[in-house]
């Protein structure tokens, strides 16, 4: 039997990517019969599917966020294990994006498709690193898919923060972080840089952080902000969701230096618009070099780009002699939560 072309058995639908011979969607944006979920961010892991396949960590995140609504039946697949669904086999392979994040590797009659989900290539102490998989069709994100996006080394950004902390012992450093992934990674990066003081957490960050710890991620001393006076925060690092940077919640803090950890901090206007004094370019998405490196590593003849800045990556792939197209899937955010 001839090997089927990937485009004959996987396609983009209004609900999301659909694998015909497996009868499932990947990261569907509407409730459907059967879903394979790449990771726990709320735009990829939505509630209400009848059957869900995901890593144990992603299932735990979905349970924490949605309770009973996480799905009718929840099936766990650890990294590297293979599950048969319909006529295809699926394995979940580390994507290096957040705890439990996975690429979906789908095989059908000798034809192989990899759906990246969100990913990055640089090491992250809070999750398993991206493992490139050879495939015929690679379906990739492109959140930072423009050559201007080149994320600096994480250690450089962390040193910027610690330098500022040393410079202003009377002030507090308030760092905006997404609750799932960025928060825990920032803590782990601070610890890796030798910072062993307690780090203070806004209440909205505590649940996800405890979930990370329950999977064995060590984060050092952490304290809730609740009930403390201004003096307690002098010289300290406080983490809060980005939205809290601009609200009255910050009045409890002594003259806070507003920082924000995001790949978008590369864009100076964004930092300015959000009143960010100390932008930290720390991203859980691949930058331009990581995206193009990944196209080289997977060796696929065809590339589909799901969401983000798609056109430049499509152009790049085409110039390299690959078939490439933008799917322009809707329902996916610019970054976490
Ligand atoms: Zn994500
Ligand atoms: Zn995404």
């Amino acid at each position: 039997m001839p090997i089927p072309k990937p485009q004959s058995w996987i396609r983009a639908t209004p609900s999301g990517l659909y694998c015909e011979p497996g009868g499932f969607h990947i990261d569907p944006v509407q409730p459907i019969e059967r879903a394979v979920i790449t990771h726990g961010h709320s735009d990829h892991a939505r509630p209400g599917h009848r059957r869900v396949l995901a890593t144990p960590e992603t299932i735990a995140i979905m349970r924490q966020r949605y309770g009973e609504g996480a799905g009718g039946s929840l099936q766990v697949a650890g990294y590297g294990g293979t599950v048969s669904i319909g006529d295809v086999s699926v394995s979940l392979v580390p994507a290096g994006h957040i705890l439990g994040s996975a690429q979906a590797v789908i095989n059908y009659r000798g034809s192989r498709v990899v759906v990246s989900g969100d990913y990055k290539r640089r090491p992250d102490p809070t999750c398993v690193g991206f493992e490139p998989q050879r495939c015929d069709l690679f379906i990739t994100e492109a959140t930072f898919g423009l050559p201007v996006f080149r994320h600096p080394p994480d250690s450089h950004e962390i040193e910027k923060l610690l330098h500022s902390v040393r410079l202003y012992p009377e002030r507090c450093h308030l760092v905006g972080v997404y609750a799932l992934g960025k928060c825990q990674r920032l803590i782990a990066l601070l610890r890796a840089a030798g910072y062993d003081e307690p780090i203070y957490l806004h209440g909205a960050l505590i649940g996800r952080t405890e979930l990370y710890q329950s999977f064995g991620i060590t984060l050092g001393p952490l304290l809730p902000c609740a009930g403390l006076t201004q003096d307690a925060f002098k010289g300290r690092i406080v983490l809060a969701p980005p939205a809290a940077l601009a609200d009255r919640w910050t009045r409890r803090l002594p003259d806070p230096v507003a920082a924000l950890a995001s790949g978008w901090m590369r864009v100076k206007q964004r930092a300015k618009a959000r009143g960010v004094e100390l932008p930290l370019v720390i991203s859980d998405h691949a930058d331009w070099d990581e995206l193009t490196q990944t196209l080289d590593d997977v060796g696929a003849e065809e590339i589909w780009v799901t969401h983000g800045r798609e056109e430049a990556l499509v152009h790049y792939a085409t110039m390299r002699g690959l078939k490439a197209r933008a799917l322009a899937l809707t329902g996916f955010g610019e970054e976490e939560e």
Side-chain angles (χ1 to χ4, degrees), residues 3-337:
I3 295 173
K5 294 257 181 242
Q7 62 272 24
S8 72
W9 59 273
I10 192 157
R11 63 174 192 270
T13 74
S15 304
L17 283 168
Y18 181 64
C19 170
E20 181 95 50
F24 61 84
H25 290 77
I26 300 108
D27 293 350
V29 294
Q30 290 153 8
I32 45 80
E33 181 61 29
R34 183 155 210 163
V36 173
I37 304 293
T38 60
H39 68 286
H41 281 143
S42 55
D43 50 343
H44 292 256
R46 291 170 190 259
H49 308 309
R50 259 180 48 114
R51 308 173 79 174
V52 171
L53 177 74
T55 62
E57 296 87 350
T58 297
I59 297 277
I61 293 162
M62 292 176 76
R63 280 214 173 98
Q64 188 184 62
R65 186 184 295 122
Y66 302 128
E68 290 293 302
S73 84
L74 305 175
Q75 186 183 355
V76 161
Y79 287 137
T82 299
V83 177
S84 296
I85 309 179
D87 292 334
V88 304
S89 73
V90 181
S91 43
L92 300 177
V93 172
H97 175 57
I98 61 166
L99 182 73
S101 65
Q103 311 170 65
V105 181
I106 312 168
N107 291 286
Y108 176 59
R109 296 187 181 162
S111 169
R112 172 182 281 208
V113 174
V114 172
V115 181
S116 73
D118 291 341
Y119 66 99
K120 67 175 175 293
R121 300 297 300 269
R122 55 193 70 203
D124 174 344
T126 65
C127 68
V128 184
F130 183 94
E131 293 174 10
Q133 304 290 309
R134 306 289 293 184
C135 55
D136 302 301
L137 166 63
F138 184 60
I139 305 180
T140 180
E141 65 133 325
T143 302
F144 292 107
L146 286 174
V148 39
F149 291 116
R150 290 199 159 91
H151 307 321
D154 306 328
S155 55
H156 179 267
E157 300 303 288
I158 292 295
E159 196 37 55
K160 244 167 50 182
L161 172 59
L162 291 175
H163 178 71
S164 182
V165 170
R166 289 190 294 268
L167 215 54
Y168 302 113
E170 294 300 303
R171 299 179 72 183
C172 148
H173 282 70
L174 172 61
V175 187
V177 288
Y178 297 95
L180 177 59
K182 193 64 59 66
C183 169
Q184 299 77 24
R185 180 171 170 219
L186 192 89
I187 296 167
L189 290 173
L190 283 164
R191 299 309 184 203
Y195 186 79
D196 50 17
E197 299 293 320
I199 294 171
Y200 293 78
L201 299 184
H202 183 286
L205 303 178
I206 292 171
R208 300 283 184 271
T209 302
E210 287 176 348
L211 189 146
Y212 267 63
Q213 290 169 315
S214 77
F215 279 95
I217 308 296
T218 53
L219 298 172
L222 305 174
L223 293 171
C225 291
L228 297 175
T229 59
Q230 277 213 353
D231 271 357
F233 297 111
K234 281 189 178 166
R236 300 299 194 177
I237 297 174
V238 175
L239 306 187
L245 254 53
D247 76 24
R248 39 183 301 136
W249 183 85
T250 61
R251 289 186 199 168
R252 73 183 65 200
L253 304 174
D255 190 17
V257 176
L260 181 60
S262 163
W264 294 109
M265 289 300 98
R266 174 76 179 70
V267 183
K268 290 205 169 63
Q269 302 90 298
R270 289 219 188 196
K272 226 175 147 187
R274 303 195 70 148
V276 173
E277 197 175 330
L278 182 64
L280 302 172
V281 186
I282 299 178
S283 173
D284 285 327
H285 294 269
D287 67 5
W288 177 254
D289 293 332
E290 294 170 64
L291 290 169
T292 56
Q293 176 69 49
T294 304
L295 297 197
D296 289 347
D297 290 347
V298 301
E301 281 176 17
E302 183 157 359
I303 308 294
W304 294 356
V305 185
T306 53
H307 63 297
R309 303 297 186 275
E310 305 166 54
E311 294 307 329
L313 195 60
V314 166
H315 179 74
Y316 172 89
T318 308
M319 290 291 113
R320 308 274 296 198
L322 309 176
K323 279 206 272 182
R325 69 183 178 103
L327 300 181
L329 295 186
T330 53
F332 295 97
E334 282 202 319
E335 203 169 22
E336 306 79 18
E337 317 231 282

